Amino acid sequence: MKAVVTTTPGGPEVLQLQEVEDPQINEDEVLVKVEATALNRADTLQRQGKYPPPKGASPYGLECSGTIEAVGKNVSRWKIGDQVCALLSGGGYAEKVAVPAGQVLPVPQGVSLKDAAALSEVACSVWSTVFMMSRLSAGETFLVHGGSSGIGTFAIQIAKHQGVKVFVTAGSEEKLAVCKDLGADVCINYKTEDFVARVKEETGGKGVDVILDSVGAPYFQKNVDSLNIDGRLFLLGFMGGAVTQVNLGSLFAKRITVQAAGLRTRTLENKAEIVSEVEKNVWPAIVAGKVKPVVFKYLPLSEAAESHRLMETSQHIGKAKPVVYKYLPLSEAADGHWLLESSQHIVMLLSGFFN
């Protein structure tokens, strides 16, 4: 089969499409013929040698969609021919991938097989952090930074579906308009407004109940200041830095909970639990049309290097075909998804927008 591989860390040019051996499945796995896979920010960091995959994991591609070609002897739910999407530890940049059966999801009704590849990673990330761990519930308030990112666009939709008042930050009025269209209640331009002051104003001085943040150090104290009593802060990344100072007294005074986690290094059992909860709680919202993948662009798998290069520069991409929202410069596009469609024509798709 064909797969994107590297032999050394470096720039996008180290990504090469090569012939490799087909993956072998164990008794608890399924073999998926990949229809599409997604480029997440973690892929670019891994290519640079800054985010090594877990021991034994295949490189590149943290989610995919496709058709099951084979099943292990202990697998009972899935059968050959099923159309699925899946959460991966790696290996999605390929024509075939072996997936633990507990990390496989049915393609939601109303979503194409190709677009379904944009769902697994973001749905599992948002549901596990915001709802399973931070316990966001109906009637509460929620702030997501980078509201126009892949994570942000999904978080807005599922939070609104759950009866939550949603606050977002983004860096332009154009991006805030995208957030507003998706259902965000309070849209804050962090370049022109103090988001702490705006949150306090909109909540009568109380603050929000839950914050989802990928900025990290520069926002830590501001996030604490923006939280309500018994507020919960979840750190999903630290793009702005990992080291900061904080007034611990403010944590005590508000009884604030701070948590951080990713998906890739979790145990198979933990991932299976998250996937099960996502199917139970998120998939019905997608089927009902309340939550949709926000799609940007298609590119061929043979241009995987170019996709990384474009994501890391300020180059623009033209309007190849109509999408949900008008195209933005790729430098402003989401941490969200480059999908790669394999089979006869392998293409990439990008969803969401950078903050």
Side-chain angles (χ1 to χ4, degrees), residues 1 3-4 23 29-30 32 34 37-38 40 42-43 46 51-64 86-100 103 121 263-266 268 271 340:
M1 70 171 186
V4 174
E29 293 181 328
V30 301
V32 176
V34 176
T37 188
N40 289 272
D43 297 331
Q46 180 181 317
Y51 185 58
K55 186 177 181 180
S58 300
Y60 307 114
L62 299 178
E63 55 193 327
C64 76
L87 181 68
L88 310 174
S89 294
Y93 285 29
E95 292 180 316
K96 298 180 182 181
V97 63
V99 188
Q103 293 170 215
E121 173 79 13
L263 278 175
R264 197 175 194 182
T265 58
R266 292 176 184 259
L268 294 180
K271 289 179 183 177
L340 310 161

Side-chain angles (χ1 to χ4, degrees), residues 15-158:
L15 296 170
Q16 301 292 326
L17 185 64
Q18 297 181 0
E19 287 287 341
V20 301
E21 292 187 4
D22 287 2
Q24 301 299 310
I25 62 172
N26 65 34
E27 57 192 16
D28 298 309
E29 293 181 328
V30 301
L31 182 66
V32 176
K33 181 180 180 181
V34 176
E35 175 80 6
T37 188
L39 170 61
N40 289 272
R41 186 180 301 277
D43 297 331
T44 63
L45 295 175
Q46 180 181 317
R47 190 205 72 230
Q48 297 168 36
K50 299 177 181 178
Y51 185 58
K55 186 177 181 180
S58 300
Y60 307 114
L62 299 178
E63 55 193 327
C64 76
S65 62
T67 304
I68 292 180
E69 279 200 344
V71 297
K73 68 178 184 180
N74 290 343
V75 177
S76 58
R77 178 180 180 182
W78 307 108
K79 64 182 185 299
I80 294 172
D82 284 346
Q83 293 193 333
V84 298
C85 52
L87 181 68
L88 310 174
S89 294
Y93 285 29
E95 292 180 316
K96 298 180 182 181
V97 63
V99 188
Q103 293 170 215
V104 177
L105 287 153
V107 173
Q109 183 180 349
V111 177
S112 71
L113 180 59
K114 182 164 56 183
D115 288 357
L119 293 172
S120 301
E121 173 79 13
V122 69
C124 289
S125 293
V126 171
W127 190 261
S128 64
T129 57
V130 176
F131 294 94
M132 294 175 69
M133 297 182 70
S134 297
R135 309 178 313 283
L136 181 64
S137 58
E140 290 194 308
T141 48
F142 169 54
L143 167 63
V144 55
H145 292 297
S148 54
S149 69
I151 288 287
T153 54
F154 190 90
I156 291 167
Q157 295 179 82
I158 192 63

Side-chain angles (χ1 to χ4, degrees), residues 24 55 82 86 95 198 200 227 255 258 297 324 339:
Q24 301 299 310
K55 186 177 181 180
D82 284 346
E95 292 180 316
R198 180 72 183 280
K200 291 292 185 67
L227 282 167
R255 300 190 297 272
V258 179
K297 179 72 175 174
V324 179
L339 302 180

Side-chain angles (χ1 to χ4, degrees), residues 323-344:
V323 290
V324 179
Y325 301 107
K326 63 182 178 180
Y327 285 21
L328 297 178
L330 186 57
S331 62
E332 300 179 35
D335 155 15
H337 307 285
W338 289 93
L339 302 180
L340 310 161
E341 175 183 323
S342 66
S343 74
Q344 292 285 324

Side-chain angles (χ1 to χ4, degrees), residues 231-244:
R232 291 86 77 193
L233 168 62
F234 205 101
L235 301 174
L236 201 55
F238 38 88
M239 291 186 295
V243 179
T244 189

Side-chain angles (χ1 to χ4, degrees), residues 206-250:
K206 294 180 179 180
V208 294
D209 297 302
V210 174
I211 296 176
L212 182 63
D213 176 46
S214 294
V215 177
Y219 276 12
F220 193 89
Q221 186 63 57
K222 292 180 179 181
N223 284 331
V224 171
D225 294 341
S226 300
L227 282 167
N228 194 2
I229 301 296
D230 292 318
R232 291 86 77 193
L233 168 62
F234 205 101
L235 301 174
L236 201 55
F238 38 88
M239 291 186 295
V243 179
T244 189
Q245 289 184 320
V246 62
N247 177 0
L248 294 176
S250 57

